[in-house]
Amino acid sequence: MHEHRLLDSEHSKELFSYYGLAVYYSQALEQQLVNLLVLMKLTQGKISPEEELTNLYYKKLGSSLGQLVHEIQHNFDFSEEESILLNNIWKKRNYIVHDYFKERILETFTPEGRSQMIDELIEFKDQAQKLEYKLLHYTQVLINQLELEEETDQELINEE
């Protein structure tokens, strides 16, 4: 019974909240990788029909984070710092999702352990959020490029 009260404490709830935020931002990062990969293929002219675009999008959504990381690194020119950050986030995300509480369960029962875990989760969340914003910027650049291409195509049609 005492164990249930401990896990229901405000400090434990705070730990679980930051765990949720860490997973949320890793999923947001994953979504931005999908968006960036699909837009890259679209701007490169590798896909065109709407059905093909939709199929590619859903296929990429079904990919693991590791698959997305490998593909984006082969197709996008990240800085060395960004590549290192992406790889670190990918590995840490896998640890957080698959092993975090299995390996750290004893620490959840002490205030010091929970505080340390909260600090680690905040650090991960901040890193994932920072990289997600960078990817969002790259995605916006590709969207702007597509819009310019559409405007140019429309101007050529109008001239004819």
Side-chain angles (χ1 to χ4, degrees):
M1 189 71 164
H2 175 68
E3 183 179 309
H4 282 306
R5 278 185 264 146
L6 178 63
L7 292 177
D8 286 339
S9 74
E10 288 305 310
H11 200 219
S12 292
K13 289 177 184 177
E14 183 180 11
L15 170 62
F16 299 137
S17 294
Y18 280 108
Y19 178 84
L21 281 172
V23 171
Y24 169 81
Y25 279 106
S26 66
Q27 288 180 3
L29 177 63
E30 199 168 350
Q31 181 65 53
Q32 282 305 323
L33 287 169
V34 168
N35 295 345
L36 189 55
L37 283 166
V38 170
L39 281 168
M40 284 172 38
K41 294 202 183 289
L42 192 59
T43 58
Q44 295 167 351
K46 293 183 178 178
I47 53 172
S48 52
E50 190 173 311
E51 186 176 322
E52 196 176 331
L53 177 66
T54 302
N55 288 339
L56 176 65
Y57 179 77
Y58 284 109
K59 180 182 175 191
K60 295 299 174 199
L61 280 178
S63 297
S64 71
L65 181 58
Q67 290 168 324
L68 295 171
V69 167
H70 286 300
E71 186 174 352
I72 198 78
Q73 288 180 326
H74 289 296
N75 294 293
F76 195 82
D77 193 23
F78 286 116
S79 70
E80 185 177 343
E81 177 187 327
E82 291 167 333
S83 289
I84 290 169
L85 182 59
L86 182 58
N87 282 316
N88 288 342
I89 288 172
W90 165 40
K91 289 173 184 165
K92 189 137 194 179
R93 175 258 178 216
N94 285 345
Y95 169 70
I96 288 171
V97 170
H98 300 292
D99 299 315
Y100 196 70
F101 283 107
K102 287 189 284 187
E103 292 184 11
R104 309 286 297 276
I105 192 69
L106 293 178
E107 293 172 64
T108 65
F109 295 106
T110 67
E112 297 82 17
R114 287 190 302 272
S115 291
Q116 182 180 2
M117 292 170 77
I118 288 168
D119 290 344
E120 291 170 0
L121 291 167
I122 290 171
E123 180 182 347
F124 172 81
K125 173 199 74 77
D126 290 346
Q127 289 176 343
Q129 185 178 25
K130 178 182 172 185
L131 186 57
E132 189 244 343
Y133 286 149
K134 282 185 178 188
L135 294 179
L136 183 60
H137 170 73
Y138 293 140
T139 301
Q140 189 60 53
V141 168
L142 289 176
I143 290 170
N144 292 343
Q145 182 181 339
L146 282 172
E147 289 172 351
L148 287 175
E149 288 174 7
E150 286 179 11
E151 287 175 13
T152 303
D153 289 346
Q154 188 61 43
E155 287 172 5
L156 289 173
I157 290 170
N158 290 344
E159 287 177 7
E160 291 176 2

